[in-house]
Amino acid sequence: MKFFIDTANVEEIREAEELGILDGVTTNPTLLAREIKRTGSKPETILKNICDIVKGPVSAEVTGMEQAGMVGEARKLSSLDPHIVVKVPVTLEGLKTVRQLSLEGIKTNVTLIFSPCQALLAAKAGASFVSPFVGRLDDISHDGMELVDQIVVIYENHAIETEIIAASVRHPLHVIQAAMIGADIATIPFKVIHQLVRHPLTDLGIERFLSDWNAVQTN
Ligand code: E4P
């Protein structure tokens, strides 16, 4: 399974890249706005900096609501760097946009997926990736991972090549479940990447090894 990081923070992306586990990045307007506010940089600069660090897909989202506007934004985003994947919301206008962009050879990530029907439509329109939002479904007492499972089954049944990104990941269990179900990718916040590494028994083990070793050192 591929690991993407769900952030627009360049320092977080650099650290994840140094770990050797990073296959791509997803951003969204909220994450980008946070970085614009924090750094004062332009969105294009932030995206370009991200693409310089990670040599994998970098999702950047359109904010228009009509096809013509979304296609225009998508062309501009895609011209920033060959790694850019254009994120498009799953609406009627969004689907038309995805179809147009797929005809132009521009990769898309159809976002805000909350039902298997939406995932099926996105794939038919030509999406390269779909992003079911697991955590936001859990938040309203729906089983977010069941949605990922349904999409995996549908895509397998019909040999659909669109890749499934388990998104809105909130904790390590989401990552494990996504891997077991067969999602192609999990896009994971920086904090959760740290949580994936840590285990209290590892910390205790290191402490014990070091204290036993230091006890027999003479100088
Ligand atoms: C996915 O691409 C989105 O950026 C993200 O996973 C949304 O997560 P949230 O529900 O934690 O905002």
Side-chain angles (χ1 to χ4, degrees), residues 6 26-28 31 87 133 136 167-168 170 187:
D6 195 29
T26 52
T27 69
N28 63 39
L31 295 171
K87 230 172 166 186
F133 275 36
R136 291 193 197 186
S168 187
R170 300 278 164 79
T187 189

Side-chain angles (χ1 to χ4, degrees), residues 40-59:
S41 303
K42 289 185 180 160
E44 298 81 15
T45 311
I46 297 171
L47 289 167
K48 193 71 192 130
N49 288 341
I50 294 173
C51 291
D52 287 343
I53 299 169
V54 56
K55 296 299 166 213
V58 174
S59 289

Side-chain angles (χ1 to χ4, degrees), residues 6-7 26-31 34 59 61 87 109 111-112 114 131-137 139 165-170 187-189:
D6 195 29
T7 184
T26 52
T27 69
N28 63 39
T30 304
L31 295 171
R34 191 177 297 159
S59 289
E61 190 158 342
K87 230 172 166 186
N109 171 0
T111 190
L112 291 166
F114 292 100
S131 291
F133 275 36
V134 174
R136 291 193 197 186
L137 277 170
D139 288 345
I165 306 177
S168 187
V169 161
R170 300 278 164 79
T187 189
I188 314 170

Side-chain angles (χ1 to χ4, degrees), residues 83-104:
H83 293 96
I84 293 284
V85 170
V86 179
K87 230 172 166 186
V88 180
V90 61
T91 58
L92 293 173
E93 291 296 303
L95 290 175
K96 290 184 215 167
T97 303
V98 169
R99 175 170 178 266
Q100 175 63 33
L101 296 178
S102 108
L103 292 173
E104 295 181 22

Side-chain angles (χ1 to χ4, degrees), residues 189-204:
F190 184 69
K191 183 181 135 219
V192 179
I193 292 179
H194 274 220
Q195 289 174 331
L196 288 173
V197 181
R198 297 295 299 272
H199 195 289
L201 289 178
T202 305
D203 296 341
L204 276 175

